[in-house]
Amino acid sequence: MDRFFELEVPYIAIMLFFLAITAFVTTKDFMPKGAFAKGMIGIFTIFAIMIGLHYYLTTTRMAGVKKIFNNGETIICENKMRRTISQSVLISKKLGWRLDGDYFKNPDFERDFHTARCVDYAPIAAKPQENK
């Protein structure tokens, strides 16, 4: 459950904001009776489905990234610290990285990289091409 809140807190905050707006608008005099219940249930259902789907896709990608890393292959992670020079970092065991829970760590880097912000790094040239 900790992982869920770690990954989804921003989206839960957005959902709460939209629920507050929905509650404000649907309680006005010009709204028909039952609008509050329908609006709150509808907005909550839509956001719950979207957040659940996002969590599922993110954790599935995280498991795939961990598997690829443990097989000795290279992955690529988003580098939010340096937006101007290198916006991504290549991570592999060969480069001194290790996996600690959901984080990639390296003594040469001052920050860790979360597996949720990483994807498989497979250059197009390295993938076999289909003959058409």
Side-chain angles (χ1 to χ4, degrees):
M1 198 60 162
D2 291 339
R3 180 190 275 179
F4 176 79
F5 287 117
E6 179 183 1
L7 296 173
E8 304 302 324
V9 161
Y11 306 110
I12 292 171
I14 292 169
M15 177 184 72
L16 293 174
F17 176 73
F18 275 91
L19 284 172
I21 291 172
T22 303
F24 179 76
V25 171
T26 56
T27 55
K28 295 296 178 190
D29 293 337
F30 59 84
M31 296 298 289
K33 290 202 182 280
F36 177 78
K38 290 177 187 175
M40 295 298 278
I41 291 170
I43 294 295
F44 180 81
T45 301
I46 289 168
F47 271 96
I49 290 168
M50 290 170 53
I51 289 171
L53 183 62
H54 180 265
Y55 179 73
Y56 172 76
L57 293 173
T58 301
T59 53
T60 302
R61 186 181 69 246
M62 288 168 61
V65 164
K66 287 179 183 181
K67 182 179 177 186
I68 290 166
F69 178 79
N70 288 329
N71 288 340
E73 297 178 41
T74 303
I75 59 170
I76 188 167
C77 291
E78 175 184 31
N79 187 1
K80 290 185 176 182
M81 231 172 135
R82 299 179 127 189
R83 290 279 185 187
T84 57
I85 299 170
S86 62
Q87 294 184 355
S88 57
V89 175
L90 296 178
I91 293 178
S92 72
K93 288 182 179 181
K94 297 173 200 167
L95 300 172
W97 289 90
R98 66 182 170 81
L99 184 60
D100 184 13
D102 288 334
Y103 292 91
F104 292 110
K105 298 183 179 212
N106 188 325
D108 296 334
F109 280 78
E110 56 189 69
R111 74 179 292 253
D112 305 332
F113 292 93
H114 199 286
T115 53
R117 305 295 169 241
C118 301
V119 295
D120 178 17
Y121 173 73
I124 295 173
K127 289 189 176 185
Q129 299 293 320
E130 293 182 19
N131 293 331
K132 293 186 178 187

